[in-house]
């Protein structure tokens, strides 16, 4: 007899489709009347994700459909009995590619206001990750503080690609310092694939397969080996939409390569291992202490192996709605996860809601 599940479900990574006019309407009034904003109206507030997403392809019927903002999200949660969901952007996954500093500042602030007013205030099951103007780290720290303390968001998004400099660079420490003070989460999300080595690859399915996990792995390795997790221990770090395989590879390759090429580090600027600790154990310690989390889908064939290998503490079920999925495909994913008896009962509960609650600090009552 197949296992059943009647507990809560939290969605650790859903998406909104940005309403361009509504976001522009929340920019400063004098700017709205300028020709600069007319240019945004003709094109977009945020840049193209990359030069790969414009293609001819066939996606599952019903996917990428407009959920009609909060109404569609409320229906989606009702149909799948989801007790809480955390929302990420779609177009603004490319926020790291923006170059005009003034536009970055007003666009991220307006997006966060739009998200707060049109989603969080209209369905208390919804939470959101804030956009940050990471190109100006001091401003990003200020916006993170406003998003968490004023708008009630649960943290900020770090784009996996597009920024100058890697995410472990000292340049971005003001953002980590503010997150440390707030005790909130910072979540790395892929979706934009510039400069990842795909220039000559002609099939988008292949690019998409590698783009998310490659970008996330680069960010994770940068943060790990530059000691971010140890230096800012009060922050919770999410790495979303790359699946489980990249994480297992990072543990294996990171540990072996560090042993073969241990940094001299006379100034103790990089990763500092405890006595008797290797890189793998360092990462798993951060997992056990509730500091590192990984977004997964319910039908991943290696999920049970990953749980057996590192435990269930890092993994968070994520719908990715309304991108490549529908209500039906998400329901199937959850059912496949529930019926996978290689995933123990306690691990199932952790993946379906407890870990998301820990990463995001969710307080919304669960719905069975």
């Amino acid at each position: 007899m197949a296992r059943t599940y009647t507990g809560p479900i939290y969605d650790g990574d859903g998406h909104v489709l940005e309403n361009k006019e509504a976001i522009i309407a929340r920019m400063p009034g004098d700017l709205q009347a300028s020709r600069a904003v007319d240019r945004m109206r003709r094109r977009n507030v945020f840049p193209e994700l990359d030069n790969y997403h414009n293609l001819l392809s066939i996606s599952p019927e019903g996917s990428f459909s407009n959920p009609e903002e909060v109404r569609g999200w409320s229906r989606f949660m009702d149909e799948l009995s989801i007790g809480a969901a955390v929302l990420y952007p779609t177009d603004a996954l490319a926020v790291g590619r923006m170059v005009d500093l003034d536009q970055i500042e007003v666009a991220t602030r307006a997006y966060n206001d739009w998200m707060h007013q049109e989603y969080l205030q209209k369905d208390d099951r919804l939470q959101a990750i804030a956009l940050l103007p990471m190109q100006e780290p001091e401003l990003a720290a200020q916006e993170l503080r406003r998003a968490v303390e004023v708008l009630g968001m649960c943290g900020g998004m770090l784009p996996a690609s597009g920024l100058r400099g890697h995410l472990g660079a000292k340049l971005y420490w003001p953002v980590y310092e503010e997150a440390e003070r707030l005790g909130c989460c910072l979540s790395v999300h892929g979706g934009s694939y510039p400069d990842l080595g795909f220039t000559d690859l002609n099939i988008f399915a292949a690019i998409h397969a590698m783009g998310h996990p490659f970008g996330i792995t680069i960010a994770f390795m940068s943060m790990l080996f530059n000691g971010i997790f140890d230096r800012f221990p009060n922050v919770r770090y999410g790495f979303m939409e790359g699946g489980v395989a990249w994480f297992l590879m990072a543990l294996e390759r990171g540990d072996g390569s560090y042993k073969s090429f241990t940094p001299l580090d006379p100034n103790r600027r990089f990763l500092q291992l405890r006595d008797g600790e290797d890189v793998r154990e360092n990462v798993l310690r951060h997992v056990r202490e509730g500091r590192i989390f990984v977004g997964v889908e319910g039908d991943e064939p290696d999920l049970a192996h990953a749980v057996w290998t590192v435990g269930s503490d890092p993994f968070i079920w994520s719908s990715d709605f309304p991108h490549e999925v529908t209500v039906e495909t998400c329901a199937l994913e959850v059912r496949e996860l529930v019926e996978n008896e290689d995933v123990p009962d306690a691990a199932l509960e952790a993946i379906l809601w407890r870990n998301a609650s820990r990463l995001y600090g969710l307080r919304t009552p669960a719905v069975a």
Side-chain angles (χ1 to χ4, degrees):
M1 182 176 178
R3 179 172 59 178
T4 60
Y5 177 79
T6 58
I9 299 174
Y10 285 173
D11 184 351
D13 178 8
H15 292 269
V16 297
L17 300 182
E18 290 85 343
N19 183 327
K20 177 172 63 176
E21 288 299 327
I23 293 171
I24 290 174
R26 288 165 171 82
M27 294 180 181
D30 56 343
L31 184 62
Q32 289 181 45
S34 71
R35 295 185 65 183
V37 171
D38 286 341
R39 190 175 298 113
M40 277 192 275
R41 286 195 173 95
R42 290 195 306 272
R43 297 178 182 175
N44 206 339
V45 176
F46 302 101
E48 293 292 327
L49 291 171
D50 46 51
N51 62 312
Y52 307 119
H53 278 78
N54 188 6
L55 75 153
L56 295 175
S57 66
I58 301 171
S59 297
E61 186 175 354
S63 64
F64 294 103
S65 59
N66 191 333
E68 300 173 328
E69 297 193 352
V70 72
R71 295 183 298 277
W73 257 102
S74 297
R75 287 196 302 270
F76 175 71
M77 290 190 292
D78 290 343
E79 292 189 41
L80 286 182
S81 297
I82 292 175
V86 179
L87 303 180
Y88 287 78
T90 294
D91 292 344
L93 291 173
V95 66
R97 303 187 68 205
M98 298 180 76
V99 295
D100 187 300
L101 298 181
D102 293 326
Q103 183 178 355
I104 296 165
E105 180 181 1
V106 298
T108 53
R109 187 179 181 92
Y111 170 94
N112 293 334
D113 287 340
W114 169 71
M115 177 69 77
H116 170 69
Q117 294 163 7
E118 297 301 326
Y119 285 86
L120 307 194
Q121 289 192 325
K122 293 183 177 180
D123 191 324
D124 63 7
R125 295 172 294 178
L126 292 172
Q127 247 299 348
I129 289 289
L131 279 190
L132 304 178
M134 290 293 291
Q135 292 84 341
E136 291 278 16
E138 290 79 13
L139 286 179
Q142 294 174 21
E143 183 60 14
L144 178 63
R145 184 185 319 128
R146 186 183 80 94
V148 172
E149 294 186 339
V150 178
L151 303 183
M153 294 182 173
C154 51
M157 189 187 86
L158 307 179
S161 60
L163 294 172
R164 62 184 176 94
H166 54 93
L167 284 174
K170 197 170 184 179
L171 168 70
Y172 300 116
W173 284 13
V175 179
Y176 297 121
E177 288 165 353
E178 186 59 34
E180 175 80 5
R181 188 186 74 80
L182 293 166
C184 68
C185 72
L186 292 173
S187 192
V188 179
H189 200 295
S192 178
Y193 315 139
D195 306 322
L196 292 179
F198 304 143
T199 305
D200 297 324
L201 192 51
N202 63 320
I203 302 297
F204 181 70
I207 295 171
H208 182 269
M210 295 183 288
H212 280 73
F214 278 23
I216 289 171
T217 304
I218 293 168
F220 177 83
M221 289 299 205
S222 168
M223 296 164 74
L224 169 65
F225 286 117
N226 283 279
I228 297 299
F229 306 134
D230 286 303
R231 191 179 299 275
F232 304 103
N234 200 37
V235 183
R236 302 181 301 280
Y237 302 89
F239 296 87
M240 311 309 292
E241 207 168 319
V244 300
W246 76 267
F247 186 60
L248 299 179
M249 182 198 72
L251 285 174
E252 177 184 330
R253 299 291 299 178
D255 190 55
S257 294
Y258 190 86
K259 289 172 181 174
S260 298
F261 303 99
T262 306
L264 185 61
D265 196 17
N267 296 310
R268 298 179 64 82
R269 292 178 296 180
F270 308 131
L271 173 65
Q272 303 298 313
L273 298 175
R274 295 180 179 180
D275 290 343
E277 185 180 65
D278 59 19
V279 169
R280 178 187 177 87
E281 181 54 36
N282 177 274
V283 173
L284 294 183
R285 172 170 57 83
H286 289 305
V287 168
R288 291 193 300 271
E289 293 173 0
R291 201 165 292 121
I292 292 176
F293 296 86
V294 176
V296 300
E297 297 174 1
D299 60 351
E300 295 189 40
D302 291 327
L303 181 56
H305 170 70
V307 170
W308 180 84
T309 302
V310 303
S312 62
D313 286 347
F315 303 121
I316 294 174
W317 178 75
S318 307
S319 74
D320 199 34
F321 180 80
H323 288 175
E324 297 99 308
V325 300
T326 64
V327 171
E328 292 75 21
T329 61
C330 287
L332 180 60
E333 277 188 17
V334 172
R335 186 165 71 246
E336 290 181 353
L337 176 57
V338 169
E339 293 177 355
N340 184 353
E341 295 188 1
D342 289 332
V343 177
D345 290 350
L348 179 66
E349 186 177 71
I351 294 167
L352 283 177
W353 82 278
R354 287 194 183 277
N355 294 340
S357 180
R358 292 191 298 130
L359 170 61
Y360 296 118
L362 298 177
R363 298 180 180 88
T364 305
V367 175

